[in-house]
Amino acid sequence: RILLRGHAIIHLDLPFTKYPGARFHHRLEAMCANRADFVLTVAQYLTDAYRVELGLRHCRIASLPLPFRAPKVSRHNCSDHKVDGDVTILYVGRLEYPKGTDLLFAALEEVCQRFTAIRAVLVGTTVDEFDEHLNTFLKANAEWVTYTGALPQSQVFEQMACADILVLPSRTETLPRTLIEAQSLGLPQVATRVG
């Protein structure tokens, strides 16, 4: 038996698929999926995309979302993180173009002009080509934006417990675990309708 667990380049029109060889990668995965005895993906979205976008011709495909441990964190014990009266907006993920963090920065600046009692916390690593954009944003908004870099999962859950809203403005997603984790804590979210 052949098992293919894909991390497909499904949409060739996205900016991060403009590297040399992306079209070959796309076609190779389509060929492998069609020749495999069985395909297992991590999300129903990928299962559907294999059928529609990659032209999967057989029906031996299923999705098995990856499990995760639900956090044991209370959303009511945030004295170390919370500033009285401020609304805390949290972003968790890579800081890069596919995750829409350029859109996030523009939206946060607009929100701050209208509502001064906000605070933003950015958690995650950045890719090299996004470093300058991040540094410019942080310098311009140092009074109300905190960048933590990567954090251990337990500290990410603590940040979620103390936030008022989580944002995920991704241009593409398969299984956004951040949203699932935030839901398990009852944290309101704003996210793009992709994947």
Side-chain angles (χ1 to χ4, degrees):
R1 290 289 188 196
I2 300 168
L3 176 70
L4 174 77
R5 179 191 175 273
H7 188 69
I9 295 193
I10 295 169
H11 308 291
L12 285 170
D13 56 340
L14 292 170
F16 63 90
T17 63
K18 302 303 180 203
Y19 67 89
R23 188 166 298 282
F24 173 77
H25 180 169
H26 176 78
R27 294 311 311 148
L28 177 65
E29 184 145 15
M31 183 192 77
C32 291
N34 278 297
R35 295 186 66 159
D37 292 319
F38 190 80
V39 178
L40 182 65
T41 68
V42 297
Q44 186 61 43
Y45 167 73
L46 275 181
T47 299
D48 296 341
Y50 266 83
R51 288 190 177 116
V52 176
E53 301 287 340
L54 293 182
L56 188 67
R57 290 189 294 274
H58 65 72
C59 62
R60 295 177 306 279
I61 184 168
S63 62
L64 179 66
L66 298 173
F68 71 97
R69 291 183 181 165
K72 293 180 180 177
V73 177
S74 170
R75 284 194 30 87
H76 305 292
N77 189 12
C78 301
S79 56
D80 294 343
H81 299 275
K82 196 79 174 151
V83 177
D84 287 339
D86 281 358
V87 172
T88 301
I89 301 169
L90 176 66
Y91 171 83
V92 177
R94 282 186 316 279
L95 294 132
E96 60 179 358
Y97 186 83
K99 290 287 186 182
T101 41
D102 56 318
L103 303 173
L104 174 65
F105 293 169
L108 285 174
E109 287 178 333
E110 188 172 327
V111 168
C112 185
Q113 289 174 4
R114 297 179 186 204
F115 309 101
T116 55
I118 72 159
R119 192 172 159 259
V121 178
L122 310 175
V123 177
T125 57
T126 182
V127 294
D128 291 342
E129 59 268 19
F130 210 79
D131 279 343
E132 186 178 333
H133 196 71
L134 173 64
N135 290 334
T136 301
F137 176 75
L138 292 174
K139 284 179 188 173
N141 303 289
E143 294 177 9
W144 57 277
V145 176
T146 303
Y147 174 56
T148 67
L151 293 176
Q153 194 64 43
S154 60
Q155 291 180 29
V156 172
F157 289 141
E158 287 174 14
Q159 291 289 344
M160 286 183 178
C162 295
D164 295 294
I165 191 165
L166 180 125
V167 292
L168 188 66
S170 301
R171 290 181 166 91
T172 181
E173 281 290 345
T174 53
L175 181 70
R177 292 171 61 92
T178 301
L179 296 183
I180 297 168
E181 291 161 353
Q183 286 173 6
S184 73
L185 288 170
L187 177 61
Q189 304 150 51
V190 174
T192 46
R193 191 177 179 181
V194 295

